[in-house]
Amino acid sequence: MNTLQTAGTFFARHFRRWKSWLLQSLLFSGYFAFIELFFHITEELEITARLFYPILFALPVGFLFSAIFSLFSTKINCILSTVVASFFGVWFLTQIIYSSVFMTYMEVNKVVMGGDVAKDFGTEMVDAIVSNIPKILAVALITAVFSLVLFLYLRPKKQSIVVSGASLIVCLLLHLFARGMLYIGEDGPFSPANMYLQHPRVLDNNVESFGVMSSLRLELYDMLFYHPEADDPSFETIDNNLLAPPDVTDPPSDDPVGSTNPDDPPVPVKLQNVIDINMDAMIAQETNKKLQAIHNYVNSQQGTYTNQYTGMFEGYNLIMICAESFTDHMIDPELTPTLYKLSTNGFVFNNFYGMFKSITTNGEYAFCTGLIPNTVGKTNDLKKNSTFLLSADKYLPYCMGNVFNDMGAFSAAYHNNTGSFYRRELTHPNMGYQLVRFMDGAYENGTFDPSRKLVFSTKNKKPNSDEEVAVQTLDDYLSNKDENGNVKQFTAYYMTYSGHHPYYGIDDKTHSKSPMAYVNRERVDKLNVSERLKTYLAANLEVEDMLTVIMKRLEEEGCLDNTVIVLTNDHYPYGLYDSEYRTLAGKSVSASFGIYENAFICYNAGMEKPIEIDTPCCTVDIIPTLLNLFGYEYDSRLLAGVDVLDPKTFHIAMLYNKSFVTDKIKFNASKNKVTYLVDKSTVSDAYVQACISYVQNKFEMSLQIIENDYYKVFYDNLAKQQSNG
């Protein structure tokens, strides 16, 4: 009895001392769990069983901070606890505000872009803050309650190192419990357990599945401890027979496209778009295990086939337009007759998906390179906050500037913002464009010339006019003529700007928020839609006017029939409200796939009739499709996309978060969910897994190409083999 009394007295005495530590730990954990729940609900994220994970992972964080702060005096403990709670409250609000503007969550590496964001998106950020005042006040109230309870009620006492150590043990056990719970229930590559360990991570998927705090922790861990350059590439083995399309009968010989004169001597036909290189020799001679793994992957790929459209546009000119926040739902035969003409003629891709819902640099990179950007940065690239910028000192042979340079043609690129934003003054010359012009100057073959800057009638107001860019730049490439007065071959690339949000409504007084919408206001005034939607349409009429000017001038110069015009978007118009986008689309649009459906315009006036393509395709498929159409020799195994016009290859539309669409299924990666587009009984589980692995490999290969400057490695090996005979 005396022993029990002694133990009881010991426990009671120490519990009174430990009580404040335990309550503080529970208060911290409760604060983080509640704010995760608040975030999930206010962000209107889908309520599923995965909501359990953010709450579970919040619990050990409370014990962690309590363990650290309990080593200090009551006053310092309370101050530090309040500071930390306030910091995380601000981080949660930052994510809410950032997603209000950009429709995605902010990676840590975007913090270094704070100045550019404030300069170019300051108005939108201020408006997002104002519209989220109720949420800001709610988080402030939750944090204030936390602080008051800590200061006035708990007043946690300083603890010994033993108690602090015990708290750390509890923290570790809770974390291990949360990790263990990930393995219960779902399975597959995109189950919570596998997503937690996945590299590269997809932030939006992580936030929805694990919460804001865990996503931040995983990002910081990767930045400090994950060094991808030390890892061997991770490629998954696929049975290519599972993805092979059914046999396709070759087109009849009298097909108008690609037909030949029977009296001409036979021309050797290259069956595949694959460079003649001895991959086995490369593998055998390679001492770098990482490069050897990439060689093995490339060697395992079949590549795409040449087809009836191969070389169809050989010798033609090319104009590429990446249209800011463009959607094909704005195309109308009366409002946008030029866009309507281009979108209903030439090649018409009926099942195209723009891969991104926000962040221009990612969509632009995929469009220009045929590779998938890594949307989450790493420590060694922290200041290079996009894959596009990381590629600025890498060899990119399949960007159209370099391709046309190789053909002996002229190449130019244009954007009506400053060259420093997204560091295009570095990325665009590296794509091979001999002349690159911005609103703050021009770069011609490495030389900066401020006198050739683009100027606008709206002066310093942004976004400015796409049409005015076309007017100022057409002479750059159309005045370059041969001795017969014919325009020499060229390519021109435009990244537009006029259609950028905000879409507040057309301001008749200052028209400073949407200057191009004000210019075009009368053309949309009678439309029966909201003022914000009118603003969006009026601003995007600049793309229509730009194309009209370009088409007219091409016709005047006699080169319209031998010029190809290609246009797609950088991302979904996230500046519109969901209801406004549904109005524009005239139908319900799903957030998982519907918002990504868009246009890949590929127009040539010389084509007698439109050619409709129903194959699923996406942004990275544009470059390989163009390379084949222009008859350029390339290795299709080295691109994330494939030639959409090849009937003998597997086609898939991939999205930035590794979701995808094939002709048989849709896979939502963030929810690990398969939707069948055909009879489920005809689709094997092995097919689904092969598709998932295919997408994983394309993301991995895209990353490895840039990380290892693999194009240079590949072509250096090719040159060495050719020199050795």
Side-chain angles (χ1 to χ4, degrees):
M1 186 67 180
N2 290 337
T3 303
L4 290 175
Q5 285 180 336
T6 302
T9 302
F10 175 84
F11 178 78
R13 184 172 67 249
H14 284 82
F15 178 75
R16 283 193 295 271
R17 184 171 183 82
W18 296 346
K19 179 182 177 181
S20 63
W21 154 75
L22 180 60
L23 290 177
Q24 181 185 13
S25 299
L26 294 175
L27 178 65
F28 246 133
S29 297
Y31 172 79
F32 292 134
F34 187 83
I35 209 167
E36 286 280 13
L37 184 62
F38 174 84
F39 177 88
H40 204 94
I41 293 172
T42 57
E43 283 291 280
E44 299 181 358
L45 301 178
E46 188 175 354
I47 304 298
T48 67
R50 290 190 179 189
L51 178 56
F52 190 48
Y53 301 131
I55 296 173
L56 271 183
F57 278 112
L59 300 180
V61 182
F63 280 83
L64 173 64
F65 285 119
S66 182
I68 297 171
F69 299 155
S70 65
L71 295 172
F72 298 95
S73 66
T74 297
K75 183 178 180 180
I76 295 177
N77 185 337
C78 291
I79 292 173
L80 290 175
S81 298
T82 300
V83 169
V84 166
S86 300
F87 169 81
F88 282 106
V90 169
W91 183 252
F92 273 84
L93 289 171
T94 299
Q95 293 291 15
I96 289 172
I97 292 165
Y98 189 88
S99 70
S100 296
V101 177
F102 297 106
M103 206 179 169
T104 190
Y105 298 112
M106 187 176 79
E107 301 101 346
V108 174
N109 68 353
K110 289 294 189 296
V111 172
V112 300
M113 287 191 65
D116 283 338
V117 171
K119 182 173 66 176
D120 277 57
F121 301 97
T123 302
E124 295 95 313
M125 297 300 288
V126 169
D127 284 338
I129 291 171
V130 171
S131 65
N132 282 291
I133 284 179
K135 297 177 186 178
I136 295 172
L137 293 176
V139 171
L141 178 61
I142 296 168
T143 307
V145 170
F146 169 88
S147 183
L148 288 172
V149 170
L150 203 62
F151 271 97
L152 302 180
Y153 176 68
L154 291 184
R155 298 192 57 77
K157 296 179 176 61
K158 183 178 180 179
Q159 303 292 336
S160 67
I161 192 72
V162 174
V163 175
S164 180
S167 184
L168 288 175
I169 292 173
V170 174
C171 168
L172 177 62
L173 291 174
L174 286 172
H175 180 74
L176 291 175
F177 175 74
R179 285 286 304 273
M181 291 299 293
L182 297 177
Y183 291 88
I184 297 176
E186 300 179 42
D187 56 11
F190 286 89
S191 66
N194 284 320
M195 283 178 59
Y196 191 86
L197 301 172
Q198 191 179 81
H199 286 99
R201 305 184 195 276
V202 179
L203 181 60
D204 288 358
N205 290 355
N206 282 0
V207 168
E208 189 167 344
S209 295
F210 310 125
V212 173
M213 294 194 65
S214 289
S215 298
L216 175 61
R217 173 173 51 80
L218 291 170
E219 269 198 274
L220 293 175
Y221 176 85
D222 286 351
M223 291 171 62
L224 295 173
F225 303 111
Y226 174 60
H227 301 290
E229 66 276 6
D231 290 348
D232 290 335
S234 177
F235 296 109
E236 300 182 14
T237 303
I238 303 174
D239 181 355
N240 291 323
N241 292 324
L242 289 168
L243 303 180
D247 292 337
V248 178
T249 304
D250 290 333
S253 60
D254 60 349
D255 191 290
V257 180
S259 60
T260 59
N261 187 335
D263 296 330
D264 291 339
V267 178
V269 176
K270 185 178 180 182
L271 294 178
Q272 287 180 283
N273 282 312
V274 172
I275 297 290
D276 185 13
I277 186 171
N278 189 337
M279 292 300 301
D280 291 332
M282 284 176 61
I283 294 167
Q285 296 166 9
E286 185 59 65
T287 57
N288 183 310
K289 289 185 177 180
K290 198 168 190 179
L291 291 176
Q292 193 175 63
I294 304 172
H295 294 338
N296 275 309
Y297 171 76
V298 172
N299 198 33
S300 71
Q301 301 304 294
Q302 188 175 31
T304 59
Y305 289 83
T306 56
N307 50 68
Q308 66 186 110
Y309 304 111
T310 300
M312 177 179 174
F313 295 142
E314 188 170 352
Y316 283 30
N317 310 307
L318 172 66
I319 295 176
M320 295 176 68
I321 300 173
C322 188
E324 170 67 46
S325 299
F326 178 81
T327 172
D328 57 344
H329 294 310
M330 69 161 285
I331 298 176
D332 179 82
E334 294 184 3
L335 186 64
T336 60
T338 302
L339 272 167
Y340 182 79
K341 179 179 180 178
L342 269 62
S343 65
T344 55
N345 290 280
F347 287 100
V348 180
F349 297 93
N350 294 319
N351 204 6
F352 176 81
Y353 290 78
M355 296 176 66
F356 304 90
K357 65 178 179 180
S358 64
I359 311 299
T360 291
T361 189
N362 289 332
E364 188 179 12
Y365 175 81
F367 179 42
C368 290
T369 66
L371 298 173
I372 303 167
N374 176 20
T375 57
V376 180
K378 298 168 289 299
T379 306
N380 54 329
D381 304 323
L382 180 58
K383 291 187 177 180
K384 293 185 174 182
N385 44 59
S386 71
T387 306
F388 213 163
L389 181 54
L390 181 61
S391 75
D393 59 353
K394 307 297 191 298
Y395 180 45
L396 300 174
Y398 300 144
C399 292
M400 284 299 156
N402 283 319
V403 167
F404 272 71
N405 290 345
D406 197 32
M407 296 175 180
F410 176 73
S411 58
Y414 307 100
H415 179 51
N416 34 332
N417 198 343
T418 60
S420 61
F421 198 81
Y422 284 131
R423 303 308 305 272
R424 289 185 176 95
E425 87 279 17
L426 300 177
T427 58
H428 287 38
N430 187 58
M431 290 192 290
Y433 293 107
Q434 301 162 28
L435 172 65
V436 184
R437 294 179 67 184
F438 304 107
M439 65 179 295
D440 55 352
Y443 296 81
E444 187 164 15
N445 296 319
T447 302
F448 179 67
D449 182 358
S451 68
R452 298 192 69 182
K453 67 182 180 181
L454 301 171
V455 295
F456 301 94
S457 58
T458 51
K459 297 183 179 179
N460 293 325
K461 293 177 181 177
K462 299 179 184 178
N464 41 43
S465 172
D466 296 330
E467 180 188 9
E468 290 180 11
V469 174
V471 171
Q472 294 178 71
T473 59
L474 282 165
D475 278 341
D476 290 345
Y477 48 89
L478 293 180
S479 61
N480 186 22
K481 300 179 180 180
D482 61 21
E483 62 277 7
N484 297 317
N486 298 316
V487 174
K488 292 183 179 180
Q489 189 181 19
F490 68 85
T491 185
Y493 168 69
Y494 292 91
M495 176 69 234
T496 72
Y497 190 24
S498 300
H500 204 290
H501 77 111
Y503 314 121
Y504 297 117
I506 300 171
D507 184 350
D508 285 336
K509 294 181 180 179
T510 65
H511 54 273
S512 60
K513 294 180 179 179
S514 302
M516 301 323 302
Y518 181 81
V519 169
N520 299 315
R521 65 194 183 281
E522 293 181 358
R523 296 160 68 181
V524 300
D525 187 54
K526 295 182 180 180
L527 296 177
N528 186 26
V529 295
S530 69
E531 284 299 307
R532 282 173 43 86
L533 194 46
K534 285 182 182 178
T535 305
Y536 170 79
L537 291 169
N540 273 281
L541 285 176
E542 284 293 307
V543 175
E544 165 72 12
D545 296 343
M546 175 189 198
L547 285 166
T548 302
V549 167
I550 290 173
M551 294 274 285
K552 181 181 179 182
R553 182 66 185 278
L554 290 174
E555 188 169 22
E556 291 172 350
E557 296 290 347
C559 58
L560 180 61
D561 284 355
N562 68 326
T563 299
V564 179
I565 298 176
V566 170
L567 180 147
T568 194
N569 72 335
D570 55 347
H571 52 67
Y572 158 78
Y574 58 82
L576 292 175
Y577 297 145
D578 292 345
S579 59
E580 293 167 338
Y581 194 71
R582 287 195 300 270
T583 298
L584 187 61
K587 61 181 180 180
S588 178
V589 180
S590 79
S592 299
F593 294 99
I595 63 173
Y596 301 98
E597 295 173 359
N598 218 293
F600 164 20
I601 292 174
C602 185
Y603 173 83
N604 173 250
M607 293 176 64
E608 296 179 1
K609 59 182 180 180
I611 298 173
E612 297 203 29
I613 308 295
D614 295 325
T615 301
C617 54
C618 63
T619 311
V620 291
D621 294 322
I622 294 176
I623 284 293
T625 303
L626 292 177
L627 290 170
N628 182 69
L629 283 168
F630 278 82
Y632 187 77
E633 185 179 24
Y634 73 106
D635 199 311
S636 55
R637 301 171 298 178
L638 303 180
L639 291 162
V642 299
D643 174 15
V644 187
L645 303 174
D646 176 13
K648 296 181 180 180
T649 196
F650 173 65
H651 294 283
I652 186 170
M654 300 177 287
L655 304 183
Y656 83 101
N657 64 353
K658 300 187 179 179
S659 297
F660 59 81
V661 180
T662 73
D663 58 350
K664 296 178 180 178
I665 62 172
K666 288 184 177 181
F667 178 72
N668 186 328
S670 65
K671 296 178 174 61
N672 197 28
K673 180 182 178 182
V674 178
T675 300
Y676 294 88
L677 305 178
V678 295
D679 186 349
K680 182 178 179 180
S681 65
T682 65
V683 182
S684 67
D685 291 342
Y687 171 83
V688 175
Q689 179 56 54
C691 291
I692 293 172
S693 296
Y694 178 94
V695 172
Q696 296 275 44
N697 286 347
K698 291 296 185 181
F699 272 74
E700 180 72 13
M701 183 59 181
S702 295
L703 172 66
Q704 296 301 333
I705 283 175
I706 299 303
E707 289 282 346
N708 296 281
D709 202 1
Y710 188 72
Y711 286 135
K712 183 177 187 302
V713 172
F714 182 89
Y715 279 95
D716 282 352
N717 272 279
L718 176 63
K720 187 184 298 183
Q721 289 184 15
Q722 290 175 339
S723 65
N724 292 336

